[in-house]
Each structure stands twice: as structure tokens, then as C-alpha cells.
Amino acid sequence: MQQDSTVGAILSSLGYDSLYPPQEKAIAAGILDGKSVLVTTPTASGKTLVAMMAIAKTLQKGKKAVYLTPLRALASEKAQDLRALEAVDLGTGRKPNVAVSTGDYDSAGKELAFSDVIVLTNEKMDTLFRHGAEWLGDVGLFVSDEVHLIGDRERGPTLEMMLTRIRKLYPSSQLLALSATVSNADEIADWLSCGLVESSWRPTKLVEGVYEYGSVRMSDSTTFRVEQTANAAVDLAIDSLDGGGQALIFAETRKRAASLAAKAAEGVYKRLDKSTKEQAARASAEILDRGDEAEITHTLAQLVAKGVAFHHAGLGPASRQIVEDSFKQGTVKLLTATPTLAAGVNLPARRVVVASILRYDAAYGGNVPISVMEYKQLCGRAGRPKYDKAGEAIIVAESSVSGDELYDHYVLGTPEPLRSQLASDRAVRFHLLSTIASMPGMKRPEIMSVFSSTLFARQYRESTVQFKVESALEYLESEDLVKQKSDRYVATEFGKKTSLLYIDPQTAVAFRDALSKVEKGRRKHALGFIHLLTQSPDFYPTLSLRKKDYDEVGLLLQERQAELLYDVSEYDCSRSFWALAEWVEETGERIMGDRLGLEPGDMHRMVETGQWLAHALYEVAKLSGREDLLAELAGMRTRIRYGIKEELMPLVALEGVGRVRARALYSAGFVDVSAIARAPQAKLASVPKIGPAVAEKLKVQLAARRQAQ
């Protein structure tokens, strides 16, 4: 194939001299000619470069490109990859501007209009549709990464509706959908009106196998034995290290991931050279320096010093970043993780060990075996393209299922067909309101036409789709979120606001109804607001109370009954409610871990979700004419963000002052900003947790404020 000059320029700038077979197939399918294509190939087979080539061609036509990912961490990683285009001469006379936007759902994203390549999460893209972002009309290419997640219960419905809208609203734009191998790729391509490129090629050969009773049977017909010690998964990982590779163990729970890392620590440390030991000690110190007070962070730091780490959603963002960087740099030789890592950042290892094929499923209420699709996703991490000729993925057989059964089902198995997850009542309700709010005046047949373009409509009976949509429409009408005007549906002010706030209509209704019952007066409502936020369908993560928690939560409710919005018993509460209530009272992270069994990552997500929902509650209160509650609700959002009592709110308005420094300043008598402005810099510097550098920054900041006034 004769190479396009743009493709040649991209390859040389990235240090490649040729294309991978799937990339050549994608070009043959017309990605450089503006044709829409679904590319399904294994992990690490070069899908990002396929996207870059299509993006470069789009920019040359004077159009924008949007790159969509399912996760924030992935969005940052992809934005970094795409910035490589800035070094390529595309003949447009200027460098392309790459922007990334993943948060702030109640924003129209107007600032993105000045960017050429825009990396978004699927949810952020959905909010831009709702806000009617005008610059979307200038997009010539939509790249949708990890399209197989359409089959994910949580993320699937938004991805499906977003792709439906892209095809409906921007039919002349090119769509490039990227996915791991799926068995019904032809059905997905047909639904998206795309050409199809399927390939099983990958740069490192993948060999899969099953471990049972000290012996491993591999898919290339080889078998080998592994020295048995305390744990099979650890033995397999250390065996890979002995060959000069890195290893990744997928464990079924956070607790097991941490436990396996601890079991491997001494064995790995013995195998580190002097230089790696020094690097590991530095990474360990950085975790303690940038991390939090939680016990899990100290445990992680001890393990990283030995060249081992665990990675799961309970870690704080700083700790997680250091672990990922240390693994990429080869300082951490063995990483244990929960399966969320497989869908996230790119961390390949020579050998992937699947310690158990069971996973806890909240909907089922117990452990269930993972799907073949999930297993193949885990396998995708095996083999480091620049270091290994082959990658190995090995399942550890447990006593309940024989090795032969596991081999037949997983190693020889085909991933399950992708199924739409849009059938849930919540998903239909959420996306139906958005459809009516962003396209006012639709008649019922037009609404049905949107939903009949979904994968849901392709895979389910027409009567099922109709019933689901009509039930949701009935609910939205009954709660005054939408109304009919001579056969046409429009969103009410309440419905429009709900759609723009990106919350479940049921959350908005619960907020409106609770606020309408709050008596007017000067009473404080902090605990009541926290209960309302944490009980909403949108709050995440929701952790149940343990048996030993009920008495403490009951006492909390009794002591602060005057703050509640309605009657609440401890049986109506979650551990998330208790955690957020403690957080805004400045309870430390170590105590939260000991008393509530909470990990920093959980608290981080609760704070993030709590802030977003507190903002939504404020907006619903404003719309409901409850001006008397607005100041307290605005304060509630600040308190959740920083984890502070009310008296510290003026202090955290200063840049560089969080909950710890604000409390230190307050305790030293600096109770407001004017007290800090009057104080000599040396006196400020003597406050614990402040010091000379921070004191100077505060003084400079306050001087600038005075000048601006």
C-alpha cells in the first residue's frame, strides 16, 4: 500500500517506520477518506494511531475532532497521546490545539470551541448535547473508544444514546468506533452504519493458560511447572519476574489484592537490584509525602519500597498515580489489582495472573463467574510491546471448577455478544427527559423514532421499547418534568433544569419534594441535607451500614434531630451518609478508616459526588423559590468539598488553604481573612502547617486582592 504523506509524517514523528496490519486494514476501509468504520482488534494493536491518522485528515479539512473515552483516567492518557500531533506538520499553518474536559456536568463547554481536538468522557459529551453546544456542528470526526462498554450495566446506556444521537444529529460527520474484539461486531457495525475492520493481530503474541496443582497448561501446547510456596497466584507472578518480566495479578476484591501484594513482598524484594531498591524507596517516600493519613496509604508505601504494589478504587488519587508511574517505569515489578484496572490506564505486564474467576455482583448479591469478555479484557494487559515477544495470561484454578473446564470456557471461549443495557427503567427515564429537553416540540412518533434508532430497539421487541418509553413518559408527565402542548412534548422549567444538571429525574423529584416540606425559619439543616444527598439514586458509592454501626448512627440522629428535613431512623441511612456527616465535621481520614472502614478513594468519590449533588440541590431550591435556603446550601457544597465545619469557610476561599491549614490558622486566632491580612508575615509563618513559603504566598495573594478592589 502506498503511504499517505500525512501518515508518513505521523509515523516518523512517533519513531515508527511501518504500520501494523490492523492499521493498514483501517486505511483500506477508508478512514482517511472520511468513511465511518468500526475497528475491533485486541489491546495494544495500534488503535490509537488509527485514530490519530483519521484526526489528522479531519484537521486538514478545517474541521474539529472529538475523542470519546469511558473513563477520566483514560481521557488524560489519550489527550497526552494526541498531543504528539502538535509536532507533526499537517500543512494547516499552525499546531493543533488539544483540550480535555471530563467534569462539571452543568457547563455548556463554550471554552472548547477554540480547540481543534477535544477529548471528552462519554458523560461529558452527553452533557454537551443537553446544553446544545454550538461548536459540535464544526466536528468532522467523532472517535468513540472502548465501544464494547456498551454492554456495561453502568456506562453502557449513556454510550449507546450518545452514539445514537451522533448518527442522528450529525449524519455527515465521520464516526470511528474502536473496540476490543466482540463476537457480534457485524451487528454493532450495521447498527452504527459503519464499515467493519476485524483483526486478531497483536504486536506481542498472547499465550493463555490455566494453573492447577503446580502445573500450567498453555494454549501453545506447552506445559511447565512452578515452584509452590504459600500462594499459587504469587508463585506464578514471581516465576515471571525470574525471567526478567513484570507481572500483574487480578484479584476479586480489594482486600485480596492487598493481601496478595503483602504475600509477594519479600520474594520480590530479594530480586531487586540496588538501583531499583533506591527508586522504590523514593516512590515509597513520595506516597507518604503526597498521600493522606489513612492506614492503607502507609501499608501501600511499605510495599512499594519492596517493589510491590496494589491498585484499586480505595486508593487516593495521588497514591494511585504514583503506583501507575512506578509500574510503567519498572520500579514496581509486581502489581496486584481489582479488574477496574483492565478498563482503565494502559499498564501492560509480561504475565497476567487471574487469581480467581469469581467477582462480587451487587445486583446478584453474591459471587458470580466473570464473563469471557471480561476475561479477554484482563488478558489484553499481557505483553509489553517494547519489551516482550509474547504475553502470558494464566488463570488459577480453584477447587470449585476444574482446570479443564476453565480452559475450555475461558481460553478457548468466544466473548459474549454485546447486549444493550438501555432497557433499565432508570436509563430510559434519564435519556428520555434529555431527548425532550434538548429537542422541544417532539411528537410521540418522533420520540419513538429516536429510541427505535438504538441498539436496544434492534435487540428487543418493538412492544418492549414502546412500553418502556411510554411508562417513562407517564412518570415524567406526572412529576411535572414534561408536559404536552397540542400533541407535542416540551420540558417544563423543572425538567430542563433537571436535564442540564445531569441528574436522574427521580433525584430531582426527591429534592423538590423534600425542600417543599422544609419550614421557613433560621433552623440549620446540615444533617438533613446530607441525608437527602446520600439517599438519592445518583449518589455513589453507597455503602451499607454494618451491624456495629447502627447504634452510633442512631445516636447521631438523636443528637442532631433538629437538623433533619423529615423523620429518619438509622435503618434509613447508609454508611455513606455517616461518612459525609463526619467529613464535614473535620473527622480525620485515619479515624474514618478505623471507625467507618472507609478507604481514601471511597471518600474522594463521595466528596466529588456530594459536591455535584449539593450544587444540583442548590439549583432545585433556587427554581423552587427557596431563597431562604440558598446561603446554607452554597455553604454545604463548600463544606463537602473541603471537609470543614462552618467557621472555616472564609479561610478555604484562600488559594492553597485546605481543611488542615484552615484549622491551623483558626486555632492560632486567625479566624477570618482580615486577621490574616493584618498579621505580620513572620507570625503567620510560625503557625503549624503554614511555614514561611505558604505565609508569603498568602500575603502576596491578599495584597493582589486589595489592589484589585
Side-chain angles (χ1 to χ4, degrees), residues 86-160:
E86 292 174 358
V88 181
D89 181 6
L90 298 175
T92 58
R94 63 186 185 86
K95 283 183 179 180
N97 177 294
V98 179
V100 59
S101 181
T102 59
D104 194 4
Y105 294 149
D106 190 18
S107 155
K110 285 181 180 171
E111 71 288 351
L112 300 172
F114 304 103
S115 299
D116 305 300
V117 183
I118 299 140
V119 185
L120 306 166
T121 55
N122 295 330
E123 286 75 17
K124 182 64 183 180
M125 179 73 211
D126 193 15
T127 65
L128 295 175
F129 278 137
R130 292 166 187 240
H131 282 272
E134 288 179 11
W135 57 263
L136 286 172
D138 299 327
V139 176
L141 167 68
F142 291 93
V143 180
S144 180
D145 204 354
E146 310 277 347
V147 164
H148 52 274
L149 285 175
I150 218 159
D152 181 84
R153 264 202 307 251
E154 294 298 318
R155 296 192 173 91
T158 295
L159 173 54
E160 182 176 338

Side-chain angles (χ1 to χ4, degrees), residues 153 205 252 255 334 477:
R153 264 202 307 251
K205 184 183 166 193
E252 63 274 38
K255 195 173 177 182
L334 167 57
E477 273 195 276

Side-chain angles (χ1 to χ4, degrees), residues 621-642:
K622 194 160 73 171
L623 194 66
S624 306
R626 292 307 303 262
E627 280 79 9
D628 56 312
L629 299 173
L630 296 184
E632 190 184 359
L633 283 169
M636 191 79 246
R637 190 181 184 196
T638 301
R639 290 183 64 192
I640 290 171
R641 180 181 176 187
Y642 292 100

Side-chain angles (χ1 to χ4, degrees), residues 209-491:
V210 174
Y211 168 99
E212 192 172 31
Y213 306 123
S215 179
V216 184
R217 172 192 174 193
M218 300 298 281
S219 57
D220 62 356
S221 304
T222 60
T223 58
F224 64 91
R225 294 198 66 79
V226 175
E227 188 182 337
Q228 291 177 270
T229 58
N231 182 277
V234 170
D235 295 342
L236 283 163
I238 287 181
D239 177 69
S240 178
L241 265 58
D242 284 339
Q246 280 174 288
L248 181 53
I249 300 177
F250 283 112
E252 63 274 38
T253 62
R254 296 180 190 183
K255 195 173 177 182
R256 182 100 195 275
S259 157
L260 289 169
K263 283 179 177 148
E266 290 310 320
V268 173
Y269 190 65
K270 280 181 205 165
R271 290 163 169 81
L272 301 185
D273 58 31
K274 187 169 179 275
S275 164
T276 309
K277 283 178 181 173
E278 287 167 1
Q279 289 165 1
R282 283 196 292 274
S284 172
E286 193 184 353
I287 288 171
L288 292 174
D289 184 47
R290 285 179 53 199
D292 39 65
E293 290 301 306
E295 187 183 338
I296 187 176
T297 308
H298 287 266
T299 304
L300 177 68
Q302 288 168 356
L303 291 170
V304 167
K306 294 183 182 293
V308 176
F310 54 84
H311 185 293
H312 57 61
L315 293 180
S319 298
R320 214 158 54 226
Q321 188 62 56
I322 296 164
V323 165
E324 289 166 13
D325 292 344
S326 299
F327 191 71
K328 282 177 183 172
Q329 290 153 11
T331 305
V332 165
K333 301 292 183 189
L334 167 57
L335 182 62
T336 64
T338 49
T340 47
L341 182 72
V345 287
N346 184 26
L347 294 177
R350 178 178 295 179
R351 181 175 289 173
V352 166
V353 180
V354 181
S356 170
I357 50 103
L358 296 175
R359 297 286 175 270
Y360 180 75
D361 186 318
Y364 176 74
N367 285 336
V368 294
I370 60 172
S371 65
V372 178
M373 170 67 105
E374 285 174 90
Y375 161 72
K376 298 293 183 188
Q377 279 289 100
L378 302 181
C379 289
R381 295 284 166 234
R384 302 165 302 171
K386 291 176 186 172
Y387 305 102
D388 304 322
K389 287 179 182 171
E392 300 166 331
I394 302 171
I395 303 172
V396 176
E398 295 161 300
S399 53
S400 55
V401 189
S402 77
D404 287 345
E405 284 178 274
L406 289 173
Y407 190 91
D408 291 346
H409 184 70
Y410 289 106
V411 176
L412 301 180
T414 304
E416 298 78 5
L418 288 184
R419 294 285 296 167
S420 168
Q421 299 298 313
L422 189 56
S424 81
D425 292 344
R426 184 183 178 195
V428 173
R429 184 172 65 233
F430 183 71
H431 292 291
L432 175 61
L433 176 60
S434 154
T435 302
I436 295 170
S438 52
M439 293 186 266
M442 297 178 85
K443 290 185 173 181
R444 195 177 286 239
E446 291 169 319
I447 292 170
M448 287 309 304
S449 166
V450 170
F451 280 85
S452 65
S453 304
T454 60
L455 184 64
F456 169 40
R458 181 178 279 262
Q459 294 183 332
Y460 287 77
R461 289 179 185 165
E462 189 182 338
S463 57
T464 304
V465 178
Q466 197 162 342
F467 174 75
K468 290 276 185 184
V469 172
E470 286 182 354
S471 300
L473 202 49
E474 202 176 303
Y475 171 80
L476 296 176
E477 273 195 276
S478 69
E479 292 295 353
D480 194 38
L481 289 144
V482 304
K483 60 186 177 186
Q484 270 193 81
K485 281 186 179 175
S486 53
D487 277 354
R488 293 185 181 276
Y489 286 89
V490 292

